[in-house]
Amino acid sequence: MPFLGQDWRSPGWRWVKTEDGWKRCEAFSPALEDENNQLNGISHTVIITGDDEDEEIYSTEDCEFAAKKRKKDHFRNNTDSQCFYREKWIYVHKESTRERHGYCTLGEAFNRLDFSSAIQDIRRFNYVVKLLQLIAKSQLTSLSGAAQKNYFNILDKIVQKVMEDQYNPRLIKDLLQDLSSTLCILIRGVGKSVLVGNINIWICRLETILLWQQQLKNLQMNKQVNNGLTLSDLPLHMLNNILYRFSDGWDIITLGQVTPTLYMLSEDRLLWKKLCQYHFAEKQFCRHLILSEKGHIDWKLMYFTLQKYYPTKEQYGDTLHFCRHCSILFWKDTGHPCTASDPDTCLMPVSPQHFIDLFKF
């Protein structure tokens, strides 16, 4: 007698959200669909290949076999494996049950959550880069071969996006620095005993990372043509309000290098005091108190000093969410097949570090 549980999704099924509700669907790939349509159009005819002297005629059975093999090779060789999943969520289970066998791994979650598309969204870009940075620091050896391909494929897209749009190059430089440092330690130290895959592949990846670092080092910012109102034309109080919206000290310093006016505003002691109070507690101030020559607290130097000892608060435009009722990890705007009566009360935003912690057993 089959087991009938409360989980109506059923293990192994994939679901997509439609106007009429959630419907079960099969693995999807536009490229495969086009190839299968072309193959189905052949029907019972024969395929003739090669020269006239060496003709090879394939029957319908051979065509079906070739189609299956093509589909299998397509899944195996395509580095962007996320495109085969219409749903952008994953059930997080840490142990085997009667309903589900095995457990969810970090690599599986990384493949299923559509990070390739997420980096194109400015609200999610910093979130994905931070997640990749945390994986590079501590979880690189836990990725499967498919997850490794996906990881470096997404990393390549991030580098290309930064090169084209010149968006936040400092963030990706820090990521590549951490990744190259980790790979150097693993390759020179323990090497084959912990890295999944051929050691020569990892050496090639390290060379690619060094190439990316050189490209970012030589990146030249394009000068914008002024066609009307610019940042410098805004009133002082508006410029000051913009600076107070920044949560990263390096962003304030960078903006202060644009004009002398912005530099003056970026050196405001109250601005750096508010930044310190946002990220750190009062007890932390007392342990690392820094005074200027005039006897005042140097809040700017305090910020960068405290940053070395304590983690700063993280802000992201959009994050992954976890449903406590369904144990599903997903992007909030894509949703998930929730069985709760009030799904919004079960949602919990997931930070990059929390994402890593979900898959530690």
Side-chain angles (χ1 to χ4, degrees):
M1 181 176 179
F3 175 81
L4 299 177
Q6 295 181 353
D7 189 356
W8 56 270
R9 292 179 295 272
S10 178
W13 287 3
R14 300 186 179 93
W15 294 80
V16 60
K17 191 173 184 180
T18 64
E19 295 179 355
D20 300 326
W22 289 88
K23 293 186 178 181
R24 185 162 60 94
C25 66
E26 302 296 333
F28 175 79
S29 170
L32 287 177
E33 188 175 357
D34 294 340
E35 290 183 2
N36 289 336
N37 290 338
Q38 294 175 3
L39 192 60
N40 292 336
I42 298 174
S43 186
H44 297 287
T45 59
V46 298
I47 301 176
I48 302 178
T49 61
D51 299 328
D52 295 339
E53 297 178 358
D54 300 319
E55 291 184 352
E56 294 184 7
I57 302 179
Y58 297 93
S59 63
T60 306
E61 275 186 19
D62 296 326
C63 292
E64 293 176 356
F65 178 79
K68 290 179 180 179
K69 188 175 186 303
R70 184 187 297 109
K71 184 176 181 179
K72 185 177 180 180
D73 292 341
H74 190 88
F75 273 88
R76 180 182 299 169
N77 297 329
N78 196 315
T79 56
D80 189 10
S81 57
Q82 298 179 83
C83 65
F84 300 114
Y85 302 102
R86 276 185 174 178
E87 72 277 7
K88 307 303 178 186
W89 53 265
I90 186 168
Y91 181 88
V92 181
H93 52 292
K94 296 187 177 182
E95 57 185 8
S96 296
T97 64
R98 185 179 295 182
E99 299 91 343
R100 292 180 177 272
H101 298 285
Y103 53 87
C104 180
T105 64
L106 174 64
E108 184 182 357
F110 191 80
N111 286 342
R112 291 285 297 272
L113 290 170
D114 193 29
F115 290 114
S116 292
S117 299
I119 62 173
Q120 304 302 327
D121 189 335
I122 193 171
R123 300 172 303 162
R124 300 175 180 173
F125 182 85
N126 291 2
Y127 182 89
V128 176
V129 172
K130 181 63 176 179
L131 180 58
L132 264 63
Q133 189 173 14
L134 291 176
I135 292 176
K137 288 181 177 180
S138 60
Q139 301 296 319
L140 199 61
T141 56
S142 65
L143 296 181
S144 64
Q148 289 173 20
K149 285 185 177 181
N150 199 11
Y151 181 94
F152 283 93
N153 179 60
I154 294 172
L155 190 57
D156 179 50
K157 290 182 178 180
I158 290 175
V159 173
Q160 299 309 318
K161 178 179 177 61
V162 172
M163 295 294 294
E164 294 173 3
D165 301 342
Q166 300 173 348
Y167 175 74
N168 210 341
R170 178 174 56 84
L171 198 64
I172 187 63
K173 286 179 181 178
D174 293 340
L175 165 59
L176 294 178
Q177 181 60 43
D178 290 335
L179 183 57
S180 61
S181 300
T182 302
L183 283 183
C184 286
I185 294 172
L186 293 176
I187 291 174
R188 294 174 183 173
V190 284
K192 297 179 181 178
S193 62
V194 296
L195 289 172
V196 178
N198 191 298
I199 193 68
N200 294 323
I201 295 178
W202 285 102
I203 294 175
C204 290
R205 286 170 176 168
L206 180 58
E207 292 175 351
T208 303
I209 293 170
L210 296 176
L211 177 61
W212 286 337
Q213 288 179 310
Q214 188 61 40
Q215 291 176 347
L216 290 170
K217 184 179 180 180
N218 299 331
L219 179 64
Q220 298 292 331
M221 295 294 181
N222 295 330
K223 292 184 178 180
Q224 301 293 331
V225 179
N226 295 332
N227 293 321
L229 191 67
T230 64
L231 187 65
S232 303
D233 298 323
L234 296 176
L236 286 178
H237 72 276
M238 293 185 67
L239 294 175
N240 200 41
N241 286 336
I242 291 174
L243 284 169
Y244 271 84
R245 296 296 186 273
F246 283 87
S247 61
D248 189 290
W250 284 109
D251 291 336
I252 294 176
I253 291 177
T254 303
L255 185 60
Q257 296 172 348
V258 176
T259 64
T261 302
L262 286 170
Y263 175 76
M264 177 192 66
L265 294 174
S266 68
E267 292 295 315
D268 182 21
R269 289 180 63 251
L270 182 58
L271 171 65
W272 290 98
K273 180 180 179 180
K274 293 290 185 182
L275 192 63
C276 287
Q277 290 175 339
Y278 173 75
H279 286 289
F280 310 106
E282 293 290 340
K283 293 181 179 179
Q284 297 169 344
F285 296 159
C286 300
R287 295 175 185 174
H288 305 277
L289 197 61
I290 301 175
L291 300 178
S292 63
E293 296 178 355
K294 297 180 179 180
H296 302 296
I297 297 177
D298 192 336
W299 291 106
K300 181 178 179 181
L301 188 56
M302 280 274 291
Y303 170 80
F304 290 105
T305 302
L306 292 170
Q307 196 179 38
K308 298 177 181 178
Y309 296 99
Y310 309 104
T312 56
K313 290 183 180 179
E314 298 177 358
Q315 281 188 336
Y316 303 103
D318 190 17
T319 67
L320 287 169
H321 281 69
F322 181 74
C323 179
R324 292 187 294 268
H325 177 79
C326 304
S327 296
I328 285 180
L329 193 63
F330 64 101
W331 293 107
K332 191 173 182 180
D333 60 350
T334 59
H336 74 289
C338 188
T339 59
S341 56
D342 189 3
D344 292 337
T345 61
C346 305
L347 302 186
M348 177 179 65
V350 178
S351 67
Q353 184 59 56
H354 187 193
F355 178 91
I356 301 294
D357 295 338
L358 281 174
F359 302 98
K360 288 183 178 178
F361 305 111

